[in-house]
């Protein structure tokens, strides 16, 4: 499937060349986004930006590196960062040319030192989940290559515990989403700041929704506020995405979407106190990312055969 990009001011819309992209049919979607989203700006600045404030407390200068995912989970290696245009110019095998070599993992100067230190309390829990789920993936009967050509996505049943801290894990993800969501500024809601910086449990304030899946790549993928529109139904949702093996996460920012979630909800973890321990069982879809569309988790077989995520033909 080939892609096209069309720009209007600071907005960029991505679609298959035969798609009828008309956003005038979803005025509520554009109105739902804060004006700052249209102003653009770098998602994760590699150097401190003069005047930039912390994306958690919204008060102090953003003077420290926030690694997404945490360094403790292995995000320390040299990587090659590709721009959106390089995604669109990839060849049929999915290979991309160009890119920029970046040392020290994926990070951005998005947090002040106190918020970085406070949210960093959850990094060890995230690291432990990564290690446990990586072992579960390695024990699967099917290889990643075999999973990538199934007509429908495989679901994995995972059981962790009996002493994992699900709320600490979800708080680490939420802290990362504060950086990735950027101009949406989800931490302007005091409940979000409490969840990232405190220990008490609380429900994720609507319309926010946090979901996850098992992620096999082939690339790490971060996306700030991104609009998805279902053209036949004219339903829409704004999401932010973090995809770094072995996990992928979506944070729904605003939505009138009534379709079932592809990913598994973990927002209820946040209702527990940060240090609550127990056993967790989840049904997680096994996801891939072969296109530049945020939230497009179809595998290679589905893309090649123009199938939807559930294996049905796309309209």
């Amino acid at each position: 499937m080939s892609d096209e990009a069309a720009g209007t001011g600071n907005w960029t819309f991505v679609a298959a060349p035969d798609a009828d992209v008309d956003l005038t049919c979803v005025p509520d979607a554009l109105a739902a986004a804060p004006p700052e989203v249209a102003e653009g700006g770098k998602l994760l600045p590699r150097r401190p930006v003069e005047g930039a404030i912390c994306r958690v407390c919204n008060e102090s200068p953003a003077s420290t590196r926030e690694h997404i995912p945490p360094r403790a989970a292995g995000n320390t290696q040299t990587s090659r960062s590709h721009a959106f245009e390089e995604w669109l110019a990839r060849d049929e095998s999915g290979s991309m040319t160009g890119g920029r070599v970046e040392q020290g993992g994926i990070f951005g100067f998005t947090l002040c030192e106190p918020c970085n230190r406070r949210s960093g309390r959850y990094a060890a829990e995230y690291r432990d989940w990564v290690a446990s789920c990586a072992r579960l993936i390695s024990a699967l009967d099917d290889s990643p290559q075999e999973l990538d050509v199934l007509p429908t996505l495989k679901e994995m049943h995972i059981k962790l515990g009996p002493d994992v801290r699900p709320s600490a894990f979800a708080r680490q993800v939420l802290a990362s989403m504060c950086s990735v969501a950027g101009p949406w500024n989800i931490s302007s809601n005091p409940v979000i700041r409490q969840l990232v910086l405190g220990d008490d449990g609380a429900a994720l304030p609507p319309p926010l929704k946090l979901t996850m899946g098992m992620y096999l790549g082939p690339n790490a993928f971060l996306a700030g506020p991104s609009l998805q529109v279902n053209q036949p139904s004219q339903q829409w949702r704004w999401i932010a995405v973090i995809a770094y093996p072995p996990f992928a996460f979506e944070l729904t920012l605003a939505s009138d979407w009534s379709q079932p979630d592809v990913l598994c909800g973990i927002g209820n973890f946040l209702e527990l106190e940060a240090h609550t321990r127990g056993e967790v069982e989840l049904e997680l879809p096994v996801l891939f990312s072969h296109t530049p569309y945020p939230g497009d988790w179809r595998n290679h077989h589905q893309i090649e055969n123009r199938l939807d995520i559930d294996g049905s033909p796309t309209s």
Side-chain angles (χ1 to χ4, degrees):
M1 181 182 293
S2 58
D3 314 308
E4 287 184 345
T8 304
N10 283 314
W11 296 90
T12 299
F13 308 110
V14 188
D18 56 352
D20 181 17
V21 180
D22 178 13
L23 294 182
T24 61
C25 67
V26 286
D28 292 345
L30 299 182
E36 292 80 6
V37 172
E39 295 174 3
K42 194 166 184 179
L43 175 63
L44 296 176
R46 300 285 290 187
R47 296 178 179 81
V49 176
E50 184 176 357
I53 60 172
C54 174
R55 296 183 186 179
V56 170
C57 70
N58 293 302
E59 295 177 357
S60 303
S63 58
T64 64
R65 297 181 180 185
E66 167 70 346
H67 281 76
I68 302 173
R71 286 172 54 89
N75 180 21
T76 60
Q77 305 300 314
T78 299
S79 61
R80 184 173 293 273
S81 174
H82 288 276
F84 177 78
E85 293 77 11
E86 291 167 332
W87 268 88
L88 296 180
R90 69 199 185 283
D91 61 26
E92 293 183 358
S93 69
S95 298
M96 288 179 280
T97 60
R100 182 177 66 249
V101 174
E102 296 183 343
Q103 306 289 338
I106 301 173
F107 66 84
F109 280 82
T110 58
L111 302 185
C112 68
E113 194 277 332
C115 287
N116 202 337
R117 184 178 65 253
R118 188 71 177 167
S119 62
R121 297 174 301 151
Y122 312 124
E125 183 69 20
Y126 188 95
R127 175 203 62 206
D128 292 346
W129 282 52
V130 166
S132 296
C133 289
R135 287 193 295 269
L136 292 174
I137 291 173
S138 66
L140 287 174
D141 293 334
D142 299 318
S143 68
Q145 292 76 18
E146 292 170 324
L147 294 170
D148 204 9
V149 294
L150 295 177
T152 58
L153 295 187
K154 181 183 180 68
E155 285 200 338
M156 282 186 62
H157 177 82
I158 70 165
K159 183 176 180 179
L160 304 176
D163 59 350
V164 297
R165 295 185 295 150
S167 188
F169 173 79
R171 288 166 197 251
Q172 176 60 69
V173 178
L174 185 62
S176 297
M177 283 295 186
C178 287
S179 291
V180 173
W184 203 281
N185 193 16
I186 61 173
S187 64
S188 63
N189 188 312
V191 174
I192 301 298
R193 294 197 301 275
Q194 170 199 324
L195 287 169
V196 172
L197 302 177
D199 294 328
D200 293 338
L204 196 62
L208 299 181
K209 183 188 296 185
L210 186 61
T211 56
M212 74 174 289
M214 298 292 274
Y215 179 65
L216 302 188
N219 302 293
F221 188 86
L222 303 182
S226 305
L227 177 62
Q228 285 187 322
V229 178
N230 182 299
Q231 289 293 322
S233 68
Q234 297 186 3
Q235 294 181 347
W236 55 268
R237 64 175 187 152
W238 284 96
I239 58 173
V241 174
I242 299 172
Y244 192 104
F247 298 132
F249 305 96
E250 290 180 353
L251 180 68
T252 300
L253 301 164
S255 172
D256 76 347
W257 201 268
S258 62
Q259 301 174 59
D261 290 322
V262 173
L263 278 61
C264 177
I266 59 169
N268 59 322
F269 290 174
L270 297 166
E271 298 174 22
L272 303 171
E273 291 186 353
H275 302 296
T276 299
R277 294 181 180 272
E279 186 175 87
V280 171
E281 293 191 53
L282 296 172
E283 296 289 338
L284 298 179
V286 179
L287 307 172
F288 297 86
S289 180
H290 293 293
T291 77
Y293 310 129
D296 181 3
W297 306 114
R298 293 174 299 161
N299 65 20
H300 183 75
H301 173 87
Q302 292 168 334
I303 292 172
E304 287 297 307
N305 292 278
R306 302 183 71 86
L307 301 178
D308 208 338
I309 195 76
D310 60 1
S312 63
T314 57
S315 56

